[in-house]
Amino acid sequence: MPTIACLNGTSRALVNLTTLALSQGYSVKALVRSKSRYHAKVPPQKNLTVHEYSASEDTAALAEILKDVDTVYIALTGPDINVQSNLNQDAVHAICGALVTGLFGPGARSQTKVVLLSAMPVAPQHKGKEGGLMMRIFEKKILNHQYDDLTRAQDFLRKQSSWLDWVSVTPGLIVDTVEGKEVETQFRLSLTDMPEGAISYRRLGAALLTAGAEDKEGEWVGKFVSPIATEKPVKMGWQGMETQRQLLKDVLSMKILPWLMKMAVYGAVFAAAGYAFGVRESGTFLQERFSIALK
C-alpha cells in the first residue's frame, strides 16, 4: 500500500486521517514536534512511523523523511490569531524544497503529491461569496491572519504546477458533536459548491484521503476541493460551534479585554486630570470671588 506523510500530525484533522489510513493498510509517517504528545492521541502501531521535526532542520533531513512518500499532507494553524503567521507558507516552501532535490533532468515531475488543508473562504471559487453575519465577522475581523497565510501558501503551490501535483482541500464548518450527538454527515467533493451545514473531523479525514492519496487518476490535482455534506445540513446553535466559541474566547481575552482595560486606564487618567483641573479652577474662582468680596 502507498505511504503518506502528515506534517503536524497532532492536528485533529490529520489524527483522523491517520487513523483511517492505517485501518485501510496505508503506511503513515507523522512529522511532529513531540512524540509523547502525538502518542497521547495516536498509539504506536504497525505501519506508523513518527519523526520529531521542526522547521529549523535542513532540507536534507526532510528529504530523507519524505523519500518514497506518495502523498504528504499539511495542516497548520497559527498559535496566535493576533499575529501574522507564515506557518503554512513556510511549510509549503520546506516541503517543495525537499521534493525538488530528488528531481533530475528537464520535465521531471515529483512522484509525491502535496495536499494542503486550507479553508473555504480563501478558495478562489468561494471568494466574494459571503456567509452569515457571524461567519463574516470571523473571516474578516478575526481569522484574517490565518487566511492570509493560507492564501500565500496556495499561491506558491500553484506556481509549482509544472513539476508538482498538489491539491487544496477547503472545508467549511467542522463540528464533531452538536448537543451531545455525534455529527456523521456524509460528504461529496465539489469544485464549485459552497459548503452547507457541517461535517465532522472524521469525515474531513476521509475527504483528505479521497482528494489526495486515493485519487489515482488525478481528478483533483491542481484544484481547490470542498467537502460538501450530502445529507440534510446540521442545524446548530452557538453551543454546538466548538471552534467558533474557542475563537471568540481568544478574541475576548487577547483583543477586547486588553482594549477595554486600556480604555479604562485612559479614562481614569483623564478623569483624574479633569478633576485636578476642576479643583484648581474652582480654587482660583473662589479666591477671586473672595478677593472681590473683601474689596
Side-chain angles (χ1 to χ4, degrees), residues 120-237:
M120 176 267 294
V122 297
Q125 65 267 34
H126 297 319
K127 282 190 175 182
K129 298 180 181 179
E130 297 187 335
L133 174 62
M134 188 59 67
M135 286 305 299
R136 292 200 300 272
I137 293 174
F138 275 111
E139 291 167 14
K140 296 180 180 179
K141 302 298 183 182
I142 299 174
L143 296 177
N144 55 315
H145 288 321
Q146 307 288 349
Y147 289 162
D148 287 345
D149 177 33
L150 287 169
T151 298
R152 291 192 298 271
Q154 291 177 166
D155 289 344
F156 182 80
L157 279 177
R158 276 197 280 197
K159 294 176 182 178
Q160 315 311 311
S161 297
S162 61
W163 64 274
L164 178 70
D165 289 344
W166 60 270
V167 184
S168 180
V169 178
T170 58
L173 186 62
I174 312 166
V175 178
D176 276 333
T177 59
V178 176
E179 298 178 350
K181 297 180 180 179
E182 189 174 1
V183 175
E184 279 303 325
T185 307
Q186 297 294 325
F187 71 91
R188 60 181 174 84
L189 297 179
S190 174
L191 301 174
T192 57
D193 295 341
M194 285 278 287
E196 295 183 7
I199 63 171
S200 66
Y201 278 95
R202 194 157 76 92
R203 296 302 186 194
L204 177 58
L208 288 167
L209 196 62
T210 302
E214 290 183 350
D215 182 22
K216 305 302 182 183
E217 303 301 321
E219 180 181 2
W220 310 112
V221 168
K223 297 172 182 175
F224 300 86
V225 186
S226 293
I228 306 293
T230 56
E231 301 172 16
K232 185 178 180 181
V234 176
K235 301 296 183 181
M236 66 192 71

Side-chain angles (χ1 to χ4, degrees), residues 9-11 15 18-19 22 28-52:
T10 52
S11 70
V15 165
T18 296
T19 301
L22 289 171
V28 178
K29 294 183 178 182
L31 285 74
V32 300
R33 291 184 179 180
S34 168
K35 285 186 178 181
S36 58
R37 281 185 56 199
Y38 180 73
H39 283 312
K41 298 181 178 182
V42 182
Q45 53 196 289
K46 183 181 178 182
N47 295 332
L48 173 62
T49 308
V50 183
H51 301 270
E52 288 190 340

